[in-house]
Amino acid sequence: MAHPIHALDSFFYSSMGVYAFQSQCEMLAELGYDGITVSAWSGQPLTDLTLLPSVKQRHGLDVAALYLVLHEGRNDALLRRIVERVEGVELIELAVQTSINGAGAIIDMIESLLPIAERRGLRIALYPHLRHVTQTTSQVVRLCEHFDHPRLGASFNGYHWFASQEGRLEERLAAIEPWLMQVVLSGSAMSPLGWGQVATMEPPDRGELDNFAVVAALDRIGYSGSIGVLGWDYGGDIYLKLRRSLAAMRAIDQRLASHPGWAAAIAGD
């Protein structure tokens, strides 16, 4: 199946600075991306979130998600305020990076967001992230099972699944499938030169992580939603990296459609 492809705005961050949001959207639209995920790091967005409702009309792009990072005990009120007020987005991807007060306080924070999500028609996808409190898909699934709420689900991030060495791709995707709301992929290789001295983040056709195998496994569980490309730490000429990444993801879908038997050959990971 042909998946919509969106880019995370982390593509546009580098040691030299950050591209203006207008430029971000214009690049993605020109290249043929379907959407963008916008980030508000620790509740402090680099992008003016009041621009989100106009993205579809001005650029033809979907706002695939708003990515938020919870530091429980530090930015709880700020994140709740964003969820209460943000317009132009339907999905919140929530990573839990740190906690002052422990697991119970994280559960209380998520519980406080759910009535807001219900009232505003939002969904919240918990985001597994290496070296965060919610690091693995298993941890995220346990939280989803605890709440069993239709507005709470999970994201699957191929890079963080790979870098955390959680393994058992088919098993992990089967477990997360009832809750799966979003997918993000990236190329990667295990290396002390990578992020956190664990693994590199690269365009999806680079590294040792086989994204053909990952997309094939996603197709087998029936995932038909958008797939995001991570973009963090790619560096260099961003336009060229974006073009390359989109071509790689489109080629994977085309290859799977033309050669479904190839996907079956790698089913037993």
mmCIF file with all atom_site columns, all heavy atoms in Angstrom, residues 171-191:
data_model
loop_
_atom_site.group_PDB
_atom_site.id
_atom_site.type_symbol
_atom_site.label_atom_id
_atom_site.label_alt_id
_atom_site.label_comp_id
_atom_site.label_asym_id
_atom_site.label_entity_id
_atom_site.label_seq_id
_atom_site.pdbx_PDB_ins_code
_atom_site.Cartn_x
_atom_site.Cartn_y
_atom_site.Cartn_z
_atom_site.occupancy
_atom_site.B_iso_or_equiv
_atom_site.pdbx_formal_charge
_atom_site.auth_seq_id
_atom_site.auth_comp_id
_atom_site.auth_asym_id
_atom_site.auth_atom_id
_atom_site.pdbx_PDB_model_num
ATOM 1   N N   . GLU A 1 171 ? 6.782  -9.211  16.795 1.00 0.00 ? 171 GLU A N   1
ATOM 2   C CA  . GLU A 1 171 ? 6.113  -9.311  18.096 1.00 0.00 ? 171 GLU A CA  1
ATOM 3   C C   . GLU A 1 171 ? 5.777  -7.940  18.658 1.00 0.00 ? 171 GLU A C   1
ATOM 4   O O   . GLU A 1 171 ? 4.684  -7.715  19.184 1.00 0.00 ? 171 GLU A O   1
ATOM 5   C CB  . GLU A 1 171 ? 7.018  -10.066 19.068 1.00 0.00 ? 171 GLU A CB  1
ATOM 6   C CG  . GLU A 1 171 ? 6.460  -10.233 20.464 1.00 0.00 ? 171 GLU A CG  1
ATOM 7   C CD  . GLU A 1 171 ? 7.443  -10.935 21.388 1.00 0.00 ? 171 GLU A CD  1
ATOM 8   O OE1 . GLU A 1 171 ? 8.195  -11.805 20.907 1.00 0.00 ? 171 GLU A OE1 1
ATOM 9   O OE2 . GLU A 1 171 ? 7.455  -10.598 22.591 1.00 0.00 ? 171 GLU A OE2 1
ATOM 10  N N   . ARG A 1 172 ? 6.705  -6.997  18.550 1.00 0.00 ? 172 ARG A N   1
ATOM 11  C CA  . ARG A 1 172 ? 6.476  -5.670  19.102 1.00 0.00 ? 172 ARG A CA  1
ATOM 12  C C   . ARG A 1 172 ? 5.393  -4.928  18.318 1.00 0.00 ? 172 ARG A C   1
ATOM 13  O O   . ARG A 1 172 ? 4.570  -4.211  18.895 1.00 0.00 ? 172 ARG A O   1
ATOM 14  C CB  . ARG A 1 172 ? 7.768  -4.848  19.110 1.00 0.00 ? 172 ARG A CB  1
ATOM 15  C CG  . ARG A 1 172 ? 8.894  -5.376  19.981 1.00 0.00 ? 172 ARG A CG  1
ATOM 16  C CD  . ARG A 1 172 ? 8.449  -5.921  21.335 1.00 0.00 ? 172 ARG A CD  1
ATOM 17  N NE  . ARG A 1 172 ? 7.498  -5.045  21.999 1.00 0.00 ? 172 ARG A NE  1
ATOM 18  C CZ  . ARG A 1 172 ? 6.517  -5.476  22.788 1.00 0.00 ? 172 ARG A CZ  1
ATOM 19  N NH1 . ARG A 1 172 ? 6.330  -6.762  22.990 1.00 0.00 ? 172 ARG A NH1 1
ATOM 20  N NH2 . ARG A 1 172 ? 5.709  -4.606  23.360 1.00 0.00 ? 172 ARG A NH2 1
ATOM 21  N N   . LEU A 1 173 ? 5.396  -5.082  16.991 1.00 0.00 ? 173 LEU A N   1
ATOM 22  C CA  . LEU A 1 173 ? 4.350  -4.431  16.193 1.00 0.00 ? 173 LEU A CA  1
ATOM 23  C C   . LEU A 1 173 ? 2.979  -5.059  16.452 1.00 0.00 ? 173 LEU A C   1
ATOM 24  O O   . LEU A 1 173 ? 1.972  -4.350  16.487 1.00 0.00 ? 173 LEU A O   1
ATOM 25  C CB  . LEU A 1 173 ? 4.691  -4.500  14.706 1.00 0.00 ? 173 LEU A CB  1
ATOM 26  C CG  . LEU A 1 173 ? 5.832  -3.590  14.240 1.00 0.00 ? 173 LEU A CG  1
ATOM 27  C CD1 . LEU A 1 173 ? 6.086  -3.776  12.750 1.00 0.00 ? 173 LEU A CD1 1
ATOM 28  C CD2 . LEU A 1 173 ? 5.543  -2.125  14.549 1.00 0.00 ? 173 LEU A CD2 1
ATOM 29  N N   . ALA A 1 174 ? 2.930  -6.369  16.648 1.00 0.00 ? 174 ALA A N   1
ATOM 30  C CA  . ALA A 1 174 ? 1.657  -7.013  16.977 1.00 0.00 ? 174 ALA A CA  1
ATOM 31  C C   . ALA A 1 174 ? 1.108  -6.490  18.301 1.00 0.00 ? 174 ALA A C   1
ATOM 32  O O   . ALA A 1 174 ? -0.104 -6.287  18.456 1.00 0.00 ? 174 ALA A O   1
ATOM 33  C CB  . ALA A 1 174 ? 1.826  -8.529  17.028 1.00 0.00 ? 174 ALA A CB  1
ATOM 34  N N   . ALA A 1 175 ? 2.004  -6.253  19.266 1.00 0.00 ? 175 ALA A N   1
ATOM 35  C CA  . ALA A 1 175 ? 1.563  -5.755  20.574 1.00 0.00 ? 175 ALA A CA  1
ATOM 36  C C   . ALA A 1 175 ? 1.094  -4.311  20.505 1.00 0.00 ? 175 ALA A C   1
ATOM 37  O O   . ALA A 1 175 ? 0.135  -3.923  21.193 1.00 0.00 ? 175 ALA A O   1
ATOM 38  C CB  . ALA A 1 175 ? 2.709  -5.888  21.582 1.00 0.00 ? 175 ALA A CB  1
ATOM 39  N N   . ILE A 1 176 ? 1.747  -3.507  19.675 1.00 0.00 ? 176 ILE A N   1
ATOM 40  C CA  . ILE A 1 176 ? 1.409  -2.086  19.622 1.00 0.00 ? 176 ILE A CA  1
ATOM 41  C C   . ILE A 1 176 ? 0.244  -1.799  18.664 1.00 0.00 ? 176 ILE A C   1
ATOM 42  O O   . ILE A 1 176 ? -0.383 -0.734  18.740 1.00 0.00 ? 176 ILE A O   1
ATOM 43  C CB  . ILE A 1 176 ? 2.657  -1.255  19.225 1.00 0.00 ? 176 ILE A CB  1
ATOM 44  C CG1 . ILE A 1 176 ? 2.545  0.179   19.759 1.00 0.00 ? 176 ILE A CG1 1
ATOM 45  C CG2 . ILE A 1 176 ? 2.889  -1.236  17.721 1.00 0.00 ? 176 ILE A CG2 1
ATOM 46  C CD1 . ILE A 1 176 ? 3.833  0.989   19.581 1.00 0.00 ? 176 ILE A CD1 1
ATOM 47  N N   . GLU A 1 177 ? -0.067 -2.751  17.794 1.00 0.00 ? 177 GLU A N   1
ATOM 48  C CA  . GLU A 1 177 ? -1.062 -2.518  16.732 1.00 0.00 ? 177 GLU A CA  1
ATOM 49  C C   . GLU A 1 177 ? -2.406 -1.985  17.224 1.00 0.00 ? 177 GLU A C   1
ATOM 50  O O   . GLU A 1 177 ? -2.969 -1.064  16.614 1.00 0.00 ? 177 GLU A O   1
ATOM 51  C CB  . GLU A 1 177 ? -1.248 -3.812  15.921 1.00 0.00 ? 177 GLU A CB  1
ATOM 52  C CG  . GLU A 1 177 ? -2.174 -3.673  14.727 1.00 0.00 ? 177 GLU A CG  1
ATOM 53  C CD  . GLU A 1 177 ? -3.641 -3.883  15.093 1.00 0.00 ? 177 GLU A CD  1
ATOM 54  O OE1 . GLU A 1 177 ? -3.911 -4.650  16.040 1.00 0.00 ? 177 GLU A OE1 1
ATOM 55  O OE2 . GLU A 1 177 ? -4.516 -3.271  14.443 1.00 0.00 ? 177 GLU A OE2 1
ATOM 56  N N   . PRO A 1 178 ? -2.983 -2.512  18.324 1.00 0.00 ? 178 PRO A N   1
ATOM 57  C CA  . PRO A 1 178 ? -4.290 -1.975  18.749 1.00 0.00 ? 178 PRO A CA  1
ATOM 58  C C   . PRO A 1 178 ? -4.247 -0.496  19.124 1.00 0.00 ? 178 PRO A C   1
ATOM 59  O O   . PRO A 1 178 ? -5.297 0.159   19.167 1.00 0.00 ? 178 PRO A O   1
ATOM 60  C CB  . PRO A 1 178 ? -4.638 -2.831  19.975 1.00 0.00 ? 178 PRO A CB  1
ATOM 61  C CG  . PRO A 1 178 ? -3.816 -4.066  19.842 1.00 0.00 ? 178 PRO A CG  1
ATOM 62  C CD  . PRO A 1 178 ? -2.550 -3.627  19.187 1.00 0.00 ? 178 PRO A CD  1
ATOM 63  N N   . TRP A 1 179 ? -3.050 0.018   19.406 1.00 0.00 ? 179 TRP A N   1
ATOM 64  C CA  . TRP A 1 179 ? -2.909 1.387   19.887 1.00 0.00 ? 179 TRP A CA  1
ATOM 65  C C   . TRP A 1 179 ? -2.225 2.304   18.869 1.00 0.00 ? 179 TRP A C   1
ATOM 66  O O   . TRP A 1 179 ? -2.090 3.503   19.122 1.00 0.00 ? 179 TRP A O   1
ATOM 67  C CB  . TRP A 1 179 ? -2.074 1.400   21.177 1.00 0.00 ? 179 TRP A CB  1
ATOM 68  C CG  . TRP A 1 179 ? -2.430 0.296   22.111 1.00 0.00 ? 179 TRP A CG  1
ATOM 69  C CD1 . TRP A 1 179 ? -1.762 -0.874  22.321 1.00 0.00 ? 179 TRP A CD1 1
ATOM 70  C CD2 . TRP A 1 179 ? -3.587 0.228   22.965 1.00 0.00 ? 179 TRP A CD2 1
ATOM 71  N NE1 . TRP A 1 179 ? -2.410 -1.648  23.252 1.00 0.00 ? 179 TRP A NE1 1
ATOM 72  C CE2 . TRP A 1 179 ? -3.537 -0.996  23.658 1.00 0.00 ? 179 TRP A CE2 1
ATOM 73  C CE3 . TRP A 1 179 ? -4.658 1.101   23.195 1.00 0.00 ? 179 TRP A CE3 1
ATOM 74  C CZ2 . TRP A 1 179 ? -4.501 -1.381  24.571 1.00 0.00 ? 179 TRP A CZ2 1
ATOM 75  C CZ3 . TRP A 1 179 ? -5.623 0.718   24.116 1.00 0.00 ? 179 TRP A CZ3 1
ATOM 76  C CH2 . TRP A 1 179 ? -5.542 -0.508  24.794 1.00 0.00 ? 179 TRP A CH2 1
ATOM 77  N N   . LEU A 1 180 ? -1.811 1.746   17.730 1.00 0.00 ? 180 LEU A N   1
ATOM 78  C CA  . LEU A 1 180 ? -0.915 2.468   16.822 1.00 0.00 ? 180 LEU A CA  1
ATOM 79  C C   . LEU A 1 180 ? -1.617 3.620   16.114 1.00 0.00 ? 180 LEU A C   1
ATOM 80  O O   . LEU A 1 180 ? -2.598 3.420   15.406 1.00 0.00 ? 180 LEU A O   1
ATOM 81  C CB  . LEU A 1 180 ? -0.327 1.499   15.793 1.00 0.00 ? 180 LEU A CB  1
ATOM 82  C CG  . LEU A 1 180 ? 0.789  2.026   14.902 1.00 0.00 ? 180 LEU A CG  1
ATOM 83  C CD1 . LEU A 1 180 ? 1.970  2.528   15.731 1.00 0.00 ? 180 LEU A CD1 1
ATOM 84  C CD2 . LEU A 1 180 ? 1.232  0.940   13.924 1.00 0.00 ? 180 LEU A CD2 1
ATOM 85  N N   . MET A 1 181 ? -1.089 4.837   16.298 1.00 0.00 ? 181 MET A N   1
ATOM 86  C CA  . MET A 1 181 ? -1.637 6.039   15.687 1.00 0.00 ? 181 MET A CA  1
ATOM 87  C C   . MET A 1 181 ? -0.680 6.715   14.716 1.00 0.00 ? 181 MET A C   1
ATOM 88  O O   . MET A 1 181 ? -1.118 7.508   13.874 1.00 0.00 ? 181 MET A O   1
ATOM 89  C CB  . MET A 1 181 ? -2.036 7.044   16.774 1.00 0.00 ? 181 MET A CB  1
ATOM 90  C CG  . MET A 1 181 ? -3.163 6.598   17.672 1.00 0.00 ? 181 MET A CG  1
ATOM 91  S SD  . MET A 1 181 ? -3.530 7.845   18.958 1.00 0.00 ? 181 MET A SD  1
ATOM 92  C CE  . MET A 1 181 ? -5.025 7.145   19.682 1.00 0.00 ? 181 MET A CE  1
ATOM 93  N N   . GLN A 1 182 ? 0.602  6.454   14.833 1.00 0.00 ? 182 GLN A N   1
ATOM 94  C CA  . GLN A 1 182 ? 1.587  7.165   14.020 1.00 0.00 ? 182 GLN A CA  1
ATOM 95  C C   . GLN A 1 182 ? 2.859  6.326   13.914 1.00 0.00 ? 182 GLN A C   1
ATOM 96  O O   . GLN A 1 182 ? 3.166  5.529   14.812 1.00 0.00 ? 182 GLN A O   1
ATOM 97  C CB  . GLN A 1 182 ? 1.920  8.513   14.669 1.00 0.00 ? 182 GLN A CB  1
ATOM 98  C CG  . GLN A 1 182 ? 2.799  9.445   13.853 1.00 0.00 ? 182 GLN A CG  1
ATOM 99  C CD  . GLN A 1 182 ? 2.073  10.042  12.670 1.00 0.00 ? 182 GLN A CD  1
ATOM 100 O OE1 . GLN A 1 182 ? 1.811  9.341   11.690 1.00 0.00 ? 182 GLN A OE1 1
ATOM 101 N NE2 . GLN A 1 182 ? 1.729  11.319  12.748 1.00 0.00 ? 182 GLN A NE2 1
ATOM 102 N N   . VAL A 1 183 ? 3.606  6.534   12.819 1.00 0.00 ? 183 VAL A N   1
ATOM 103 C CA  . VAL A 1 183 ? 4.867  5.828   12.589 1.00 0.00 ? 183 VAL A CA  1
ATOM 104 C C   . VAL A 1 183 ? 5.908  6.837   12.124 1.00 0.00 ? 183 VAL A C   1
ATOM 105 O O   . VAL A 1 183 ? 5.623  7.724   11.312 1.00 0.00 ? 183 VAL A O   1
ATOM 106 C CB  . VAL A 1 183 ? 4.702  4.706   11.536 1.00 0.00 ? 183 VAL A CB  1
ATOM 107 C CG1 . VAL A 1 183 ? 6.059  4.163   11.096 1.00 0.00 ? 183 VAL A CG1 1
ATOM 108 C CG2 . VAL A 1 183 ? 3.833  3.578   12.083 1.00 0.00 ? 183 VAL A CG2 1
ATOM 109 N N   . VAL A 1 184 ? 7.128  6.703   12.644 1.00 0.00 ? 184 VAL A N   1
ATOM 110 C CA  . VAL A 1 184 ? 8.271  7.527   12.232 1.00 0.00 ? 184 VAL A CA  1
ATOM 111 C C   . VAL A 1 184 ? 9.450  6.589   11.964 1.00 0.00 ? 184 VAL A C   1
ATOM 112 O O   . VAL A 1 184 ? 9.738  5.709   12.775 1.00 0.00 ? 184 VAL A O   1
ATOM 113 C CB  . VAL A 1 184 ? 8.659  8.548   13.326 1.00 0.00 ? 184 VAL A CB  1
ATOM 114 C CG1 . VAL A 1 184 ? 9.886  9.350   12.889 1.00 0.00 ? 184 VAL A CG1 1
ATOM 115 C CG2 . VAL A 1 184 ? 7.492  9.484   13.630 1.00 0.00 ? 184 VAL A CG2 1
ATOM 116 N N   . LEU A 1 185 ? 10.133 6.787   10.827 1.00 0.00 ? 185 LEU A N   1
ATOM 117 C CA  . LEU A 1 185 ? 11.260 5.941   10.462 1.00 0.00 ? 185 LEU A CA  1
ATOM 118 C C   . LEU A 1 185 ? 12.494 6.770   10.166 1.00 0.00 ? 185 LEU A C   1
ATOM 119 O O   . LEU A 1 185 ? 12.424 7.961   9.897  1.00 0.00 ? 185 LEU A O   1
ATOM 120 C CB  . LEU A 1 185 ? 10.906 5.070   9.249  1.00 0.00 ? 185 LEU A CB  1
ATOM 121 C CG  . LEU A 1 185 ? 9.724  4.118   9.405  1.00 0.00 ? 185 LEU A CG  1
ATOM 122 C CD1 . LEU A 1 185 ? 9.515  3.318   8.126  1.00 0.00 ? 185 LEU A CD1 1
ATOM 123 C CD2 . LEU A 1 185 ? 9.895  3.188   10.596 1.00 0.00 ? 185 LEU A CD2 1
ATOM 124 N N   . SER A 1 186 ? 13.636 6.085   10.181 1.00 0.00 ? 186 SER A N   1
ATOM 125 C CA  . SER A 1 186 ? 14.920 6.710   9.886  1.00 0.00 ? 186 SER A CA  1
ATOM 126 C C   . SER A 1 186 ? 15.909 5.607   9.583  1.00 0.00 ? 186 SER A C   1
ATOM 127 O O   . SER A 1 186 ? 15.765 4.484   10.064 1.00 0.00 ? 186 SER A O   1
ATOM 128 C CB  . SER A 1 186 ? 15.413 7.521   11.096 1.00 0.00 ? 186 SER A CB  1
ATOM 129 O OG  . SER A 1 186 ? 16.732 7.985   10.901 1.00 0.00 ? 186 SER A OG  1
ATOM 130 N N   . GLY A 1 187 ? 16.922 5.919   8.790  1.00 0.00 ? 187 GLY A N   1
ATOM 131 C CA  . GLY A 1 187 ? 18.044 5.014   8.692  1.00 0.00 ? 187 GLY A CA  1
ATOM 132 C C   . GLY A 1 187 ? 18.881 5.082   9.956  1.00 0.00 ? 187 GLY A C   1
ATOM 133 O O   . GLY A 1 187 ? 18.862 6.080   10.680 1.00 0.00 ? 187 GLY A O   1
ATOM 134 N N   . SER A 1 188 ? 19.628 4.018   10.257 1.00 0.00 ? 188 SER A N   1
ATOM 135 C CA  . SER A 1 188 ? 20.434 4.018   11.475 1.00 0.00 ? 188 SER A CA  1
ATOM 136 C C   . SER A 1 188 ? 21.468 2.905   11.438 1.00 0.00 ? 188 SER A C   1
ATOM 137 O O   . SER A 1 188 ? 21.265 1.864   10.785 1.00 0.00 ? 188 SER A O   1
ATOM 138 C CB  . SER A 1 188 ? 19.548 3.830   12.705 1.00 0.00 ? 188 SER A CB  1
ATOM 139 O OG  . SER A 1 188 ? 20.318 3.863   13.894 1.00 0.00 ? 188 SER A OG  1
ATOM 140 N N   . ALA A 1 189 ? 22.560 3.128   12.145 1.00 0.00 ? 189 ALA A N   1
ATOM 141 C CA  . ALA A 1 189 ? 23.567 2.099   12.391 1.00 0.00 ? 189 ALA A CA  1
ATOM 142 C C   . ALA A 1 189 ? 24.020 2.215   13.839 1.00 0.00 ? 189 ALA A C   1
ATOM 143 O O   . ALA A 1 189 ? 24.190 3.324   14.361 1.00 0.00 ? 189 ALA A O   1
ATOM 144 C CB  . ALA A 1 189 ? 24.760 2.269   11.447 1.00 0.00 ? 189 ALA A CB  1
ATOM 145 N N   . MET A 1 190 ? 24.198 1.087   14.498 1.00 0.00 ? 190 MET A N   1
ATOM 146 C CA  . MET A 1 190 ? 24.711 1.105   15.860 1.00 0.00 ? 190 MET A CA  1
ATOM 147 C C   . MET A 1 190 ? 26.143 1.640   15.829 1.00 0.00 ? 190 MET A C   1
ATOM 148 O O   . MET A 1 190 ? 27.001 1.107   15.128 1.00 0.00 ? 190 MET A O   1
ATOM 149 C CB  . MET A 1 190 ? 24.680 -0.288  16.472 1.00 0.00 ? 190 MET A CB  1
ATOM 150 C CG  . MET A 1 190 ? 23.301 -0.929  16.529 1.00 0.00 ? 190 MET A CG  1
ATOM 151 S SD  . MET A 1 190 ? 22.072 0.036   17.456 1.00 0.00 ? 190 MET A SD  1
ATOM 152 C CE  . MET A 1 190 ? 22.774 -0.008  19.110 1.00 0.00 ? 190 MET A CE  1
ATOM 153 N N   . SER A 1 191 ? 26.386 2.715   16.583 1.00 0.00 ? 191 SER A N   1
ATOM 154 C CA  . SER A 1 191 ? 27.709 3.345   16.546 1.00 0.00 ? 191 SER A CA  1
ATOM 155 C C   . SER A 1 191 ? 27.867 4.312   17.702 1.00 0.00 ? 191 SER A C   1
ATOM 156 O O   . SER A 1 191 ? 26.941 5.085   17.993 1.00 0.00 ? 191 SER A O   1
ATOM 157 C CB  . SER A 1 191 ? 27.899 4.116   15.230 1.00 0.00 ? 191 SER A CB  1
ATOM 158 O OG  . SER A 1 191 ? 29.064 4.926   15.277 1.00 0.00 ? 191 SER A OG  1
#
